[in-house]
């Protein structure tokens, strides 16, 4: 297998809104020799995202945009193109990107979602899985298209729902799997 060096890795931006634990796992993955990606930018819609701290820790460029209108999206697209970003990983990013944004990065946006898609698109996935008495929930990495949580699935991991699970306990166990699933998805799609 060819070794990937910084210069031929896929320049990646990670979009976050909150804690950024998936961001952290992606950064750690990106440091491995075998990783096909290098994380060049962290973008958040929320200046208070805890995950923005990783930009300082790992010396990665960070930008905050409100994503409220097409002007702010244009500014982001400009920044991403300026930095030769070729892959966008949405990781706990709570805004819906416009059709035109997605068109600009067609086939180059991935998302991680805390359910076994196509079940439970959107919010409150753990509540829904528990309420429906599902035996399993889990997480999914998929390509982003213009319909919410509906793009082509790359990989999934099942997590058993325990009798006494609350949305919080289930979310915690699924999150641990998310941290492995996202790097695995990237390897599946891009590894040489
Ligand atoms: C994750 O469960 C992600 O799938 C969901 O929000 C959570 C964010 O976690 N959309 P983090 O910010 O990566 O820690």
């Amino acid at each position: 297998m060819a070794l990937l060096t910084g210069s031929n890795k896929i320049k990646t931006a990670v979009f976050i809104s909150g804690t950024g634990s998936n961001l952290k796992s992606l950064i750690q993955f990106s440091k491995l020799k075998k990783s096909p990606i290098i994380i060049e930018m962290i973008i958040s819609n929320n200046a208070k995202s805890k995950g923005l701290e990783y930009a300082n820790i790992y010396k990665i460029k960070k930008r905050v945009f409100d994503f409220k209108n097409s002007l702010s999206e244009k500014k982001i697209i400009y920044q991403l193109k300026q930095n030769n970003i070729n892959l966008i990983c949405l990781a706990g990013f709570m805004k819906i990107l416009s059709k035109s944004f997605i068109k600009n990065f067609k086939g180059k946006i991935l998302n991680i979602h805390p359910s076994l898609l196509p079940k439970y698109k959107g919010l409150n996935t753990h509540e829904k899985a528990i309420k429906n008495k599902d035996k399993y929930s889990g997480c999914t990495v998929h390509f982003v298209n213009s319909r919410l949580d509906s793009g082509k699935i790359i990989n999934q991991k099942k997590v058993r729902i325990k009798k006494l699970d609350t949305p919080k306990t289930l979310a915690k166990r699924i999150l641990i799997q998310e941290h492995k699933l996202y790097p695995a998805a990237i390897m599946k799609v891009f590894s040489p």
Side-chain angles (χ1 to χ4, degrees):
M1 195 206 321
L3 277 187
L4 292 163
T5 59
S7 58
N8 61 7
K9 290 192 179 203
I10 302 163
K11 291 190 177 14
T12 301
V14 182
F15 284 29
I16 60 167
S17 297
T19 315
S21 68
N22 276 294
L23 163 67
K24 185 182 175 196
S25 93
L26 287 175
I27 294 172
Q28 286 172 344
F29 163 68
S30 74
K31 306 270 181 211
L32 303 178
K33 248 185 198 158
K34 68 171 184 184
S35 163
I37 64 164
I38 179 167
I39 297 176
E40 295 276 345
M41 296 184 86
I42 299 169
I43 309 270
S44 179
N45 63 307
N46 170 14
K48 292 189 177 140
S49 302
K50 204 173 162 279
L52 284 171
E53 289 170 11
Y54 295 117
N56 305 336
I57 297 171
Y58 292 99
K59 313 244 172 303
I60 301 171
K61 271 184 209 163
K62 66 175 171 188
R63 298 280 185 275
V64 176
F65 294 97
D66 61 17
F67 286 82
K68 277 201 179 122
N69 52 40
S70 61
L71 183 67
S72 79
E73 273 201 353
K74 273 189 189 140
K75 286 184 189 163
I76 305 160
I77 293 168
Y78 177 78
Q79 290 269 333
L80 294 168
K81 304 250 167 174
Q82 281 283 98
N83 285 278
N84 300 313
I85 296 299
N86 252 319
L87 175 68
I88 295 172
C89 292
L90 308 182
F93 181 66
M94 303 308 282
K95 284 272 177 182
I96 294 177
L97 297 167
S98 74
K99 278 187 184 161
S100 113
F101 184 98
I102 293 166
K103 240 185 176 173
N104 264 279
F105 291 91
K106 201 164 177 261
K108 294 179 176 174
I109 311 177
L110 309 183
N111 181 40
I112 187 152
H113 183 75
S115 80
L116 293 174
L117 288 172
K119 262 193 162 181
Y120 312 134
K121 296 171 183 171
L123 298 173
N124 306 319
T125 54
H126 309 305
E127 283 85 342
K128 289 173 189 162
I130 290 172
K131 200 169 163 214
N132 284 343
K133 303 199 181 336
D134 291 351
K135 282 203 169 121
Y136 291 95
S137 188
C139 43
T140 304
V141 178
H142 63 94
F143 286 100
V144 171
N145 65 13
S146 56
R147 281 168 298 118
L148 181 69
D149 300 328
S150 297
K152 190 173 175 243
I153 291 172
I154 299 165
N155 59 357
Q156 296 187 301
K157 176 73 184 179
K158 267 187 181 178
V159 173
R160 184 180 273 285
I161 302 179
K162 295 180 184 169
K163 238 185 171 176
L164 297 178
D165 259 334
T166 62
K168 217 173 161 184
T169 57
L170 180 59
K172 211 171 158 188
R173 285 208 314 290
I174 290 178
L175 194 58
I176 293 168
Q177 297 307 322
E178 291 183 40
H179 298 157
K180 299 180 200 159
L181 192 73
Y182 219 156
I186 290 169
M187 286 302 281
K188 190 171 169 187
V189 176
F190 298 107
S191 78

